[in-house]
Amino acid sequence: MVLDDAALKKFGFIPRKAKDAINIDPLQTGGKLTEEASRALLEWGDGYSVCDYCDGVLDLIKKPPIEEFVHSALPEFLNTDVARITHGARESKFTVMHSMAKEGDYIVLDELAHYSSFVAAQRAGLNIRTVPHSGNPEYKTDVDGYATVIDDLIRETGKAPALAQVTYPDGNYGNLADVKRISNLCHRYDVPLMVNGAYSVGRMPIDAKKLGADFIVGSGHKSMASSGPIGVLGVKEEYAGIVFRKSPTHKNKEVEFLGCTVRGAPVMTMMASFPHVVERTNRWYDEVADARWFSSRLEDLGIMQMGDKPHNHDLMFFEAPVLYEISQAAKKGRYFLYKEMKQRKIHGIKSGLTKYFKLSTFQVGRENLKYIADSFEEIIDKYQKMG
Amino acid sequence: MVLDDAALKKFGFIPRKAKDAINIDPLQTGGKLTEEASRALLEWGDGYSVCDYCDGVLDLIKKPPIEEFVHSALPEFLNTDVARITHGARESKFTVMHSMAKEGDYIVLDELAHYSSFVAAQRAGLNIRTVPHSGNPEYKTDVDGYATVIDDLIRETGKAPALAQVTYPDGNYGNLADVKRISNLCHRYDVPLMVNGAYSVGRMPIDAKKLGADFIVGSGHKSMASSGPIGVLGVKEEYAGIVFRKSPTHKNKEVEFLGCTVRGAPVMTMMASFPHVVERTNRWYDEVADARWFSSRLEDLGIMQMGDKPHNHDLMFFEAPVLYEISQAAKKGRYFLYKEMKQRKIHGIKSGLTKYFKLSTFQVGRENLKYIADSFEEIIDKYQKMG
Ligand SMILES: Cc1ncc(COP(=O)(O)O)c(C=O)c1O
Ligand SMILES: Cc1ncc(COP(=O)(O)O)c(C=O)c1O
């Protein structure tokens, strides 16, 4: 590629087509910016903006109140001893794995863990054992499986795993495992537990201490109405010295964060959205009610919701034999659903999917949810009449 | 901290005071957004925005043309075989160190390396040897020192270091070391060389192959008119399989990137600014002329520029005995300079500094530079008359 005018014209400003659609992609519903965050983004957009006010440690900046946010507000929000901002949930997980375990150590993941948990462990050179789930249709993580896997590892390797992790909720079915029981089990073996709250922190009330979480992970761009990449990490005091250890040569720099992480606008968007985020977690039960209402509307159409039932989260996985059947005959084949939805300005069910798909109802609102459910109904009617 | 209304009111939208000042902080001059990037930021601000178009690999997204940007435009721009986007220069460096070296291995850094190079090596569990510089006033990195240090290491440990690095230019004096000679020396020992171009990529023409760089690192928020955190990494084909190795379980996910890095707006700002960035690197010699002109204006006032002379970069370090002397008597003491500059809407010399400070003239423009030099003159006159 020669970087001449013709080539460069491809870059520059590019409009975002999905911007004005109703977005039910689980990745997107909790990351939509508030009005305040959009303003913060423009105000703090330039390069390293926040570093204008830095004396060497990003999370100790007093004005704007990043220190107060990271060292007071976030720990309170998560109910954890200490907190930091990171580049995202996966980077939080890697940081914990890399500091808590040594190459070759074992860690335990739930089988439903996000791929980035597996990859983070691989990057840290760790071995992985998984705790199974119950399979179709509930996909429930086997809580006692944590004890079984830890027992197995002790028997085989002579020592307990360095860390266990549970995904709360998992990113496929939106199931909320019984973390309290899992942490009790793990702690019996002195195995610290990391809770991946990528889909919970910023959506629903989270209390790390009540859950017995030694580490709590959140994703700003996924669930805290923040512009990515940004995440949070809460750590129990007991492990803070390990995870937040300082450089031997540069006394105020934390090694795992390479000195500092989010040196730019994302932290200002997280702070800008924070009042809204706190408030919306307090209204979580309305979100659960919306999810259940939507699930039952789809079930009436023959689209079956998998996972916990009644469901306790906005992230839901559906099995839709009725749509699959239509796709077999439809002119656009398996793309018919995506096209129909697109025409209705509904975005988020991946192009080509019909039989299985996931979606999120978070912050979509009852009126839009009704419109989406009606759209499903309309589409099914239309194709069934044609068929 | 209780998260009540009073506490939450501290967050929300917070204005950026330094926004309208002339900013000569070296961290800031190259990261200022273009008009296009500001628009892209607002357009793509929401959470995970770009992931709407992702089939599982961020840098393979076709629309918007992230794939073309990462896999064609960036390699061309850097003249390197393969490129990726990362969270920043330090994350690029850690990625290379972590994949190229094993815990306990040695790497070689120039003594002038940024703290984040040291911390990245520490995070990867590596041992560090440094190549000295010539000290005051030139601070020239001892090119032959690379051979000496490598020889020493071979003698002491029985093997060559896993990697060498040079900072181009260094972040204190803006000195441009003779990288071509350094790479020749390193390659004689089969030691790959990483060039930290945090202050060059996006400012001046960079040709990794011509420099003999096996790895080239850039910082988007520092030098590519991008909203942070974002960086770039260019890699020679020979090492691409190591640095970009894939997960054994998740075949399309690159382990060192935890699957993907900049899943949000920053990459869209980098793409939006890219045409401008390409163009400005072609006008680099005007920037060098501006830097030299500014340097000589300050030298006329008794403020001495350290480092390469005549200077070849916009980042400059000054020693100002005249300002230090004033600070000894001034009412505001060592804060007088900051206050006087602030009154004149000039930001970027750290509060409290008078005797030594660094600044950058990049993209400031001759007119503003004249205003800044005149301001120095005016301030010195004013205090000398008072004294
Ligand atoms: C359960 C779960 N955890 C973690 C992640 C990754 O989040 P982040 O992008 O903040 O690393 C995802 C992303 O989809 C997820 O679904
Ligand atoms: C020479 C040099 N390298 C690297 C960095 C770090 O850049 P980034 O924030 O992209 O990691 C800096 C930051 O000041 C620097 O001066």
Side-chain angles (χ1 to χ4, degrees), chain A residues 48 263, chain B residues 27 88-91 93 114 116 167 169-171 196 198-199 219 221-222:
Chain A
Y48 265 118
R263 45 213 183 281
Chain B
L27 285 182
R90 67 195 69 196
E91 288 84 358
K93 292 182 283 186
H114 189 245
S116 64
T167 319
D170 75 281
N196 175 9
Y199 273 114
S219 174
H221 39 265
K222 198 201 289 290

Side-chain angles (χ1 to χ4, degrees), chain A residues 27 88-90 93 114 116 167 171 196 198-199 219 221-222, chain B residues 48 263:
Chain A
L27 285 183
R90 67 193 70 195
K93 291 182 283 185
H114 189 246
S116 64
T167 318
N196 176 9
Y199 272 114
S219 175
H221 39 266
K222 198 201 289 288
Chain B
Y48 264 118
R263 44 213 184 280

Side-chain angles (χ1 to χ4, degrees), chain B residues 95-117:
Chain B
T95 288
V96 172
M97 293 176 188
H98 188 248
S99 43
M100 291 294 294
K102 269 183 255 319
E103 227 180 291
D105 278 356
Y106 273 87
I107 64 162
V108 177
L109 300 180
D110 44 342
E111 205 176 333
L112 293 176
H114 189 245
Y115 84 80
S116 64
S117 299

